[in-house]
Amino acid sequence: LHSWIEGYRDADRGHEFDLFTALGDEAGTAWLEKSTLLARRPAGARQAARGARQALRYEKPGPGAAPDTVDIDVPRAVGRRYGWMSGDLNPIHLADRGAKLFGFDHAVAHGMWSMARALAALGEAALTPPVDVQVEFKFPLFMPSVAKLEHWPRENRRVFVMKDGESDRPHLAGWAQRA
């Protein structure tokens, strides 16, 4: 297992850097992950508006293409269940009270749970190993709620976006393809 940091840069809302993690053995790399992390700093109104507009951007289906849609149930208990399983017991995922201490209205589902749940909804055909997955996390997914996963083919990829079931605001967007 190897981890390293690259790409320190200024961003609208703070300083970003890329954290890479690779897992492998003598047969090769089994997992390669790049996470872009943000160290926040106070942002002005113009910077905050630009960041919000960027979060709303994601790949859309082509003209005339109708995406497949799956409803994703996000029960309140998923924060605690996934937290105990993963070891991520961050208060924002456990209860509304803990989330409010960090500026959220309600408890927030784990991003990795959201990604895994979205990928599971794509079905086995989209995830036959080896597979490359790219995901951008957009807005928090509050619990409890029902999210809507839209997915469609684009070239050799399966593109997807998980949205709030009521407002259509994106929680995450990405694609999966055979490596």
Side-chain angles (χ1 to χ4, degrees):
L1 178 67
H2 299 280
S3 291
W4 66 97
I5 294 174
E6 291 182 12
Y8 172 85
R9 60 201 166 271
D10 288 326
D12 287 341
R13 297 182 294 163
H15 304 288
E16 288 183 345
F17 59 93
D18 299 323
L19 172 64
F20 289 86
T21 305
L23 176 66
D25 60 16
E26 54 277 343
T29 302
W31 177 272
L32 176 62
E33 173 183 340
K34 174 185 148 187
S35 297
T36 301
L37 304 171
L38 174 69
R40 290 183 185 254
R41 69 167 183 256
R46 182 182 300 164
Q47 291 169 326
R50 188 178 333 151
R53 282 192 307 274
Q54 180 61 33
L56 290 170
R57 291 188 183 123
Y58 57 88
E59 191 171 346
K60 311 279 193 300
D68 295 324
T69 303
V70 178
D71 286 339
I72 306 287
D73 186 38
V74 188
R76 181 173 299 281
V78 79
R80 288 185 304 279
R81 288 193 321 244
Y82 185 84
W84 282 109
M85 192 245 355
S86 68
D88 182 355
L89 297 173
N90 185 325
I92 69 170
H93 304 305
L94 302 179
D96 291 347
R97 184 178 219 171
K100 286 178 182 179
L101 293 172
F102 292 91
F104 295 100
D105 292 335
H106 300 284
V108 177
H110 288 76
M112 296 309 285
W113 177 87
S114 301
M115 180 184 76
R117 184 62 188 88
L119 292 172
L122 297 180
E124 287 184 41
L127 299 175
T128 303
V131 65
D132 286 338
V133 176
Q134 179 176 326
V135 174
E136 292 182 352
F137 296 97
K138 303 292 187 174
F139 289 100
L141 177 57
F142 296 114
M143 303 178 293
S145 66
V146 175
K148 177 174 56 174
L149 181 74
E150 296 176 356
H151 58 99
W152 59 92
R154 166 97 16 103
E155 297 158 0
N156 60 344
R157 301 175 295 148
R158 193 78 189 167
V159 180
F160 57 90
V161 59
M162 184 185 286
K163 299 178 180 180
D164 183 89
E166 295 178 15
S167 71
D168 258 5
R169 196 164 85 158
H171 297 298
L172 60 81
W175 52 262
Q177 72 180 18
R178 291 212 15 107

